[in-house]
Structure formats: C-alpha cells, structure tokens
Amino acid sequence: MGQAFTPPSRDFLRELQVLRREVDALKRMPSGSRSISTEYLAPIPACRVHRTTSQNLVSGVFTGITYDAELQDAWGMHDTTTNLHRVTAPIAGWYHVGAVTGISANTGGTNRELYLQKNLDATWLDIRWAEASLLPNSQPARMSVSTVVYLAAGDWMSAVAYQNSGGLLTTQNDAQLRDEFWMCWLGN
C-alpha cells in the first residue's frame, strides 16, 4: 500500500528558498568560479547494516542473514525489529548491492555459499562460494558478493548463506570479519 502524502514542513520550504537563491547566484557567476554548499543537498538512498553476533547456519538450508544494527540508514531502508534480512529500495532506480560474510571453519561438506536475492524470488542475482575441501581446517570461508540491479520502489534485497557441512555452523563475527550488507542508489 502506498504511503500517505505528507506536506513539506516550513523548514524544508525555507531551505528550498535558500537553495534556489544559491542556484540563481551561481547562474550569475563566471563558470570557473561556481560552487554550491552541500548543506542543502539531500542524502542519496543508501544503507549499510551488520550483525552484532554470529548467526547459526543449518546444513543444507538456505538461510537469510539477519542484521540487527545499522551503520548508515538515512532513508529508513532497514528495520532492526522486523524483517531484519531485508533492505528495501525507497525509490526506483539502479542500486549497488553487496554483502560480506565468513562461515566458521569445518572440514565437512563441500560448499559454503553467499547469494544476493531480490524479493525472495527463485532467481539468484549473484553468487559467491568457497569449496570447503580447499580450506584449511582452521580457516573460515570468507566471501563477498556484489551486483548492480534495477529495483522498483518497495523491492527489497537479502543476503542468503548456504553450507553443507552435515552439522551446524555459524557466520563469523569477530575483529577480523563481521556480516555486513549494503545497498546504495546509483540513479535512474
């Protein structure tokens, strides 16, 4: 359901008038000396979230990684109380989306995988994996994945992990690596 229209505040209208005066002044300046204050420019839609603890990954199950803390989210693209696995596009356009994770060390199974998924549909947008047989016992599988994707307003992205060790593993969350997920609007 669409959001209700909210009329602009007086502060916003006052800032818009100041910005218009700055633009008019810029138009009158010689082209080599033009500059504008970034004070009045709105932040672009961008979000960067992370986990503060490790997350359990059951063998053979695709698991959406949940993020309980925000590093940046000026547009309210992520919610730390519901749907912690989602970052939602507030406006339509092209977005750079990425994630990084580590899966605990284990010699069982053959795959540790990280996917990006749009609206939890069956199409994986980008995949990164590490073959467990190639990893030393003491080393976690570290993976990152990123892509550029067109999203409609309200579409959302998730990072999904998979492992097939035959047992329970966890994502890594320590000083060296933590689960992070980001999404930044690039334009239309």
Side-chain angles (χ1 to χ4, degrees):
M1 190 166 226
Q3 295 181 348
F5 173 76
T6 303
S9 68
R10 288 180 189 231
D11 289 338
F12 172 78
L13 295 174
R14 194 172 9 257
E15 289 175 9
L16 186 58
Q17 289 174 342
V18 170
L19 183 58
R20 283 184 182 154
R21 282 194 296 269
E22 282 192 19
V23 169
D24 289 341
L26 283 172
K27 288 178 183 176
R28 293 188 298 270
M29 296 173 123
S31 63
S33 62
R34 293 182 184 172
S35 67
I36 189 166
S37 167
T38 58
E39 176 181 352
Y40 301 103
L41 300 178
I44 62 168
C47 182
R48 185 173 167 210
V49 295
H50 70 99
R51 282 192 59 81
T52 58
T53 61
S54 296
Q55 180 173 337
N56 290 336
L57 302 174
V58 176
S59 182
V61 176
F62 291 92
T63 304
I65 300 175
T66 58
Y67 303 94
D68 59 355
E70 297 171 346
L71 298 166
Q72 173 189 356
D73 189 12
W75 279 69
M77 298 166 67
H78 179 259
D79 189 334
T80 57
T81 56
T82 59
N83 298 317
L84 280 72
H85 63 287
R86 295 182 184 186
V87 174
T88 303
I91 60 174
W94 290 96
Y95 286 82
H96 177 249
V97 183
V100 62
T101 194
I103 298 177
S104 56
N106 184 289
T107 58
T110 57
N111 292 323
R112 311 293 184 262
E113 302 169 359
L114 180 62
Y115 301 83
L116 293 176
Q117 194 174 27
K118 177 181 169 183
N119 297 333
L120 282 186
D121 68 15
T123 304
W124 302 106
L125 293 179
D126 210 342
I127 305 168
R128 291 293 180 267
W129 65 91
E131 292 190 33
S133 59
L134 301 177
L135 299 171
N137 270 351
S138 62
Q139 296 298 313
R142 296 179 179 183
M143 296 163 284
S144 65
V145 60
S146 68
T147 193
V148 173
V149 61
Y150 187 86
L151 299 173
D155 281 347
W156 49 273
M157 296 293 298
S158 294
V160 178
Y162 175 84
Q163 61 91 4
N164 67 350
S165 69
L168 185 69
L169 297 181
T170 62
T171 61
Q172 184 178 356
N173 189 7
D174 58 31
Q176 294 177 345
L177 182 69
R178 68 178 175 196
D179 298 324
E180 286 195 16
F181 186 60
W182 60 90
M183 189 161 92
C184 180
W185 183 76
L186 301 174
N188 291 325

